[in-house]
Amino acid sequence: MYNIAMAKYLIKTYGCQMNLHESEKLAGVLENAGFSATDKENEADVIVFNTCCIRESAEQKIYAHIGALKSIYKKNPNLIVAVCGCMAQEKGTSDIIQKKFPFVKIVFGTHNLTKFKEYLDKYNLSKKRVFEIWENEKDIDENCPKYRTSGYNAWVNISYGCNNFCTYCIVPYVRGRERSRDMNDIINEVKELVHNGYKYITLLGQNVNSYGNDIDDKNVTFANLLDKLSNLDGNFKIKFMTSHPKDLNDEVINVIAKKSKICKVIHLPCQSGSTKILKAMNRRYSREEYIALIDKIKTKIKDVVLTSDFIVGFPGETEEDFIQTCSLVEYCKYNSIFAFMYSKRKGTIAEKMDNQIDIATKRQRVNKLLAIQHQITKEINLNLKDSIHNVIIEKTLDNNQYLAKSDCGKTIIVNADSKLEENQFYDIKITKITNNKIFGKLIGD
Ligand code: 5AD
Ligand code: SF4
């Protein structure tokens, strides 16, 4: 048993921003219990794996990392290893962990994350392994402490779970149905974060655009939430993810266009450029509808930055379907994309579909798509010369140089004669673009 006054924890997080933020909640629970953080495995009393199961490759990596802890456990048999999150919630996984990794003492899912301290206490009292996976989602726990580690950005959940059941996706099975947080709870959290100096507020939901659909009040919508948050006092900006094209309506586009506090950055996963594949994926929009939406966004929101996700090698994807994805990517001119090879997930509809695509074809397609995007990103970056951006200063370098980030996450080296403050916004002009660096200078210097 560890001495709580000196006990140390290490959280290993896999997957999306949602998971990164949930690790801040796990850390909050542990900090409140008197633990402090370490980044050294051999110093830790408790090691938590907060896991992801979106693709098989993520799972294989996590299993390998858990397995690698065996030697640490041998040296320190008092070490408590816990596994939680999406992979733990997945049917059958908890049994595998139980059998394969005897040194894993606690396993819990996505619905009972905030109960971690209770499970630790239970294990410490009984010395019996604790396996607690709740089948269903419960009420949102508004009182979970958070120990934020994301610098000037603060993540704020607006909803949990997903109702969309895209046929490839495991998320609705491991995160349950969509639950929206109360609008006032979100606003109060954001007010406090801004008061505490956070400069970016990133709203999180599997589908932020359907925020409020599960709440009776018709005024509880994503557009109204964005409007209310952007009217709050303070020097901060708002980001959000992820948007679903079928739910991104005119009200949302208008409020993004109108409000200066909202970043003009939209992550709008498309997944495929073929209407046939989109239908099989249950995305509920066609190629033409998606393109029309992109056109509308570009017309209404000046200088908007668009990014997207694509899956190649979905069952039944022909060369012709893939070519449609390539041409859509060429048309949309995203700033960047994530491209994934389709990965079969247990319990999803696509798992049982005919015409699964072989790995060599998937690999070839993903590489081709990424090469197309690489060229587009390069062209977009070259065109940045002389454009003006409001950036945040991250770090002071030597010789009146600073490392800055744009709203869409591009790193810019800024020259300024005046002294710039870290974690503050400044207007800069892009002066030079080299192969892998972007330079700018402070405006009005
Ligand atoms: N295989 C490959 N990629 C997937 N994604 C979701 N499920 C799968 C899967 N089974 C991708 C989608 C989604 C992103 C978060 O992960 O592109 O937008
Ligand atoms: Fe998965 Fe589709 Fe829900 Fe996104 S919208 S989490 S891809 S089911």
Side-chain angles (χ1 to χ4, degrees), residues 3-141:
N3 172 355
I4 194 74
M6 291 170 4
K8 292 206 156 50
Y9 69 91
L10 169 59
I11 302 176
K12 291 173 180 274
T13 310
Y14 300 82
C16 60
Q17 269 98 341
M18 193 73 83
N19 274 11
L20 287 166
H21 184 38
E22 279 173 355
S23 287
E24 293 182 333
K25 294 182 188 175
L26 286 168
V29 168
L30 290 170
E31 295 275 338
N32 264 19
F35 284 78
S36 57
T38 176
D39 53 8
K40 295 189 186 65
E41 286 173 355
N42 57 8
E43 246 181 48
D45 299 284
V46 174
I47 298 182
V48 190
F49 286 83
N50 187 10
T51 61
C52 167
C53 61
I54 196 99
R55 281 168 291 277
E56 200 188 344
S57 52
E59 285 192 356
Q60 296 311 335
K61 187 165 88 183
I62 296 166
Y63 278 133
H65 289 181
I66 298 174
L69 270 195
K70 198 172 167 185
S71 58
I72 305 273
Y73 177 73
K74 270 197 179 146
K75 281 187 219 137
N76 173 17
N78 290 325
L79 173 68
I80 299 177
V81 180
V83 178
C84 69
C86 291
M87 195 171 139
Q89 188 72 37
E90 204 185 337
K91 273 213 163 48
T93 310
S94 153
D95 289 344
I96 298 175
I97 295 170
Q98 193 158 9
K99 289 197 191 99
K100 225 174 142 183
F101 305 109
F103 56 88
V104 172
K105 304 299 184 199
I106 303 173
V107 177
F108 53 109
T110 55
H111 303 310
N112 50 346
L113 194 115
T114 60
K115 302 272 182 244
F116 182 38
K117 177 65 174 48
E118 289 170 32
Y119 303 148
L120 261 181
D121 292 344
K122 200 166 157 185
Y123 173 75
N124 280 328
L125 271 177
S126 68
K127 287 288 175 275
K128 287 205 178 83
R129 300 168 84 193
V130 179
F131 287 78
E132 278 264 352
I133 313 288
W134 293 359
E135 275 300 308
N136 294 309
E137 56 274 9
K138 298 261 165 40
D139 287 344
I140 295 168
D141 183 353

Side-chain angles (χ1 to χ4, degrees), residues 189-229:
E189 183 175 357
V190 172
K191 271 188 192 161
E192 195 183 323
L193 290 166
V194 172
H195 177 78
N196 290 339
Y198 286 94
K199 291 292 185 260
Y200 282 94
I201 303 293
T202 305
L203 308 176
L204 294 178
Q206 302 298 342
N207 175 2
V208 287
N209 300 95
S210 54
Y211 169 74
N213 285 2
D214 56 325
I215 293 177
D216 267 346
D217 186 343
K218 68 176 184 344
N219 291 317
V220 179
T221 64
F222 186 53
N224 281 347
L225 176 68
L226 279 180
D227 188 57
K228 287 207 158 82
L229 292 176

Side-chain angles (χ1 to χ4, degrees), residues 162 164-166 168-169 171-172 206 244 271 283:
C162 181
N164 289 316
F165 288 95
C166 301
Y168 50 80
C169 186
V171 168
Q206 302 298 342
H244 194 305
Q271 313 297 2
R283 291 292 290 176

